[in-house]
Amino acid sequence: MKVSRAGTLLLAAVLAAGTATAAPRTVTDPQAPRALPADGPVSVKWDDPAKFTEIRQSGNRFEAERGDWVQQIARYLQTTAAKPLQPGQTLDVTLVDIKRAGDYEPWHGPRGRDIRVLRDIYPPRISLQYTLKDASGRIVSEGDARLSDSGYLQGSGLLTDSDPLRYEKRLINDWVKRQLTSQATAAR
């Protein structure tokens, strides 16, 4: 009996330790980060993702909260937005709202409620605030950007079809190419 009790206690300790060190499993977890670590000229932060349209208006809030998709979008934004910046320039970005492409349609029954359905009526949208500064710290440009692509299903993309965030990443690519690059090069 002593071995069994000791084994049970050991298993409980391992499970408790594993839970304490495990990464957050949902984007709304209070322990989940709300900013990326400083790495290069672009900083990205966000408030509680529970306030994002993706979760507030989801047909399946449980599935919408799963994973670390906010951090993945933020990391992609951080690396992509750094490319057109001139030496010494910095960019501060706050993700204000995210609505991923597609939505859950629970009326398709128990098996269908966990499937993200892509339709034209569910386009990806990202709202962000940004501040671009030159090497001396002077603000070169700042503003709000509302990124959306209502024709996201017709567009061709350079990103892989297996990436679940390909439509949101394409929004970021378009914003960086269309707006950020011209602002960064004009501020030389």
Side-chain angles (χ1 to χ4, degrees):
M1 274 304 198
K2 289 183 182 181
V3 172
S4 177
R5 176 173 274 171
T8 303
L9 290 175
L10 179 62
L11 179 60
V14 168
L15 289 175
T19 304
T21 60
R25 294 181 182 177
T26 67
V27 297
T28 57
D29 187 324
Q31 302 301 315
R34 299 291 186 251
L36 292 180
D39 184 27
V42 180
S43 68
V44 183
K45 65 181 180 178
W46 57 93
D47 287 327
D48 184 5
K51 298 176 184 174
F52 289 172
T53 303
E54 172 62 27
I55 295 172
R56 284 186 302 106
Q57 296 180 0
S58 178
N60 186 339
R61 184 180 170 110
F62 176 76
E63 284 296 321
E65 290 178 352
R66 285 183 53 179
D68 67 344
W69 55 267
V70 175
Q71 289 179 40
Q72 291 178 40
I73 290 171
R75 276 192 297 274
Y76 188 81
L77 175 61
Q78 188 178 50
T79 57
T80 305
K83 293 174 185 173
L85 297 183
Q86 303 302 311
Q89 288 182 330
T90 59
L91 179 69
D92 298 324
V93 180
T94 301
L95 294 170
V96 177
D97 192 25
I98 298 173
K99 171 63 182 95
R100 292 177 55 194
D103 206 347
Y104 300 98
E105 296 180 342
W107 53 88
H108 291 295
R111 297 195 148 246
R113 73 173 176 243
D114 297 336
I115 299 170
R116 181 174 287 277
V117 178
L118 300 177
R119 298 183 195 271
D120 288 336
I121 59 172
Y122 306 130
R125 294 186 306 271
I126 299 175
S127 296
L128 55 89
Q129 297 172 335
Y130 67 95
T131 303
L132 176 63
K133 297 177 184 174
D134 65 13
S136 66
R138 183 180 59 89
I139 295 176
V140 174
S141 178
E142 64 183 336
D144 297 329
R146 297 188 186 286
L147 318 177
S148 182
D149 182 6
S150 57
Y152 75 102
L153 291 173
Q154 282 74 42
S156 63
L158 302 173
L159 303 166
T160 172
D161 285 345
S162 64
D163 185 348
L165 298 171
R166 63 189 172 275
Y167 301 112
E168 295 77 15
K169 289 177 180 179
R170 193 164 63 196
L171 286 179
I172 292 167
N173 288 345
D174 291 346
W175 176 71
V176 167
K177 187 169 78 173
R178 187 175 18 88
Q179 188 171 358
L180 184 62
T181 300
S182 62
Q183 291 175 346
T185 54
R188 286 185 183 181

